[in-house]
Amino acid sequence: CVILDVQAACQDATVTQELLKEGFHRDLLVKVELGVVGEDAGGCAVAARTRLPPGIYVDPYELASLQQHNLTKVVLIPDVIDVEAPEYLATDLLVLLYMEPDPRCSRCFRAALPVHGRYHRPAEGSEEALVVLKSPEVLVCCCHNRLSAECWKPAEVEAPCSGKNVSPCQWYSVTYKPAYKELILQVPVGLRQHSSLVCVVTLLATVLCSSLILAAVCKYGHFS
């Protein structure tokens, strides 16, 4: 299986990505339409490699459940993720998302990945933080298609060609002009001027709940 990279002379691929749902828990939807493999791309495997900034993460436990049911195939680098870390203590995450053929289009592929926004530091005047998601790199592996040599170039990716293969193969990346260079996720954040109020309310709630628990223990508890 040989994977190929489309250079400037072969910019026929169309790539779009969008964020579905609202709030902190979203779905990243990536669509690819290949225009360099002829009318039929049935012999090709396609993947999208994207770098998630610190403000976005993938839950490895949720992902393991999805992969167990064959609902998605993803490689995470690194594969150990602190899901509790705030944005300012997190690092970038490299994601290789394997795509499935679209039954409505012989050259089209798509994949969805659940992503989550991290908590940010409180802001001064805005109630939203902006997280910028760059366009993905598209990798293609065509086993049965003969393509022009000038349209292909190796990419440095150590990963299997598909979810069924376990051994790594030579990947090649598709050059394309994205419809949008970046995608922006708006994450709700607190305001710094509300910090005193939040601290007071949190303290009062903690004292009240602790008092109710202590009262219940004293009333219904059995002490020897």
Side-chain angles (χ1 to χ4, degrees):
C1 187
V2 181
I3 301 187
L4 315 169
D5 173 317
V6 184
Q7 297 174 341
C10 308
Q11 293 182 356
D12 285 328
T14 301
V15 180
T16 59
Q17 61 176 357
E18 56 183 309
L19 287 167
L20 308 178
K21 302 179 182 178
E22 300 291 336
F24 282 90
H25 310 289
R26 313 291 287 270
D27 284 336
L28 175 62
L29 176 63
V30 182
K31 300 179 182 179
V32 174
E33 181 177 355
L34 298 177
V36 296
V37 293
E39 296 183 357
D40 186 10
C44 298
V46 179
R49 183 169 67 166
T50 185
R51 186 173 295 276
L52 300 183
I56 309 176
Y57 73 95
V58 177
D59 188 336
Y61 305 104
E62 178 184 21
L63 185 60
S65 177
L66 293 175
Q67 294 190 135
Q68 184 178 5
H69 294 86
N70 295 322
L71 297 178
T72 187
K73 173 61 179 177
V74 180
V75 175
L76 301 179
I77 304 174
D79 56 357
V80 178
I81 302 172
D82 185 356
V83 299
E84 300 294 338
E87 179 270 340
Y88 48 88
L89 294 180
T91 58
D92 290 356
L93 175 65
L94 187 62
V95 177
L96 182 64
L97 176 62
Y98 292 91
M99 310 189 73
E100 294 292 333
D102 190 335
R104 298 168 296 180
C105 173
S106 61
R107 295 177 296 151
C108 300
F109 300 80
R110 59 185 294 156
L113 177 68
V115 296
H116 308 274
R118 292 188 183 275
Y119 292 108
H120 289 61
R121 294 183 186 273
E124 286 290 349
S126 175
E127 295 183 355
E128 292 180 332
L130 302 181
V131 179
V132 178
L133 183 61
K134 299 294 184 180
S135 297
E137 178 185 12
V138 177
L139 305 171
V140 182
C141 170
C142 297
C143 302
H144 308 297
N145 298 74
R146 294 183 178 180
L147 303 175
S148 177
E150 65 267 13
C151 293
W152 308 95
K153 181 181 178 182
E156 296 182 1
V157 179
E158 293 185 3
C161 287
S162 68
K164 298 179 181 179
N165 298 333
V166 294
S167 59
C169 60
Q170 177 60 65
W171 284 95
Y172 292 68
S173 117
V174 176
T175 300
Y176 67 94
K177 186 176 182 180
Y180 304 99
K181 292 184 178 180
E182 57 189 29
L183 195 62
I184 297 179
L185 170 65
Q186 296 177 325
V187 179
V189 298
L191 297 177
R192 290 184 180 178
Q193 54 266 37
H194 295 164
S195 58
S196 299
L197 177 62
V198 171
C199 291
V200 171
V201 173
T202 302
L203 178 61
L204 292 177
T206 302
V207 172
L208 176 61
C209 293
S210 300
S211 300
L212 292 176
I213 294 174
L214 182 60
V217 170
C218 294
K219 183 176 182 179
Y220 301 105
H222 299 282
F223 303 95
S224 56

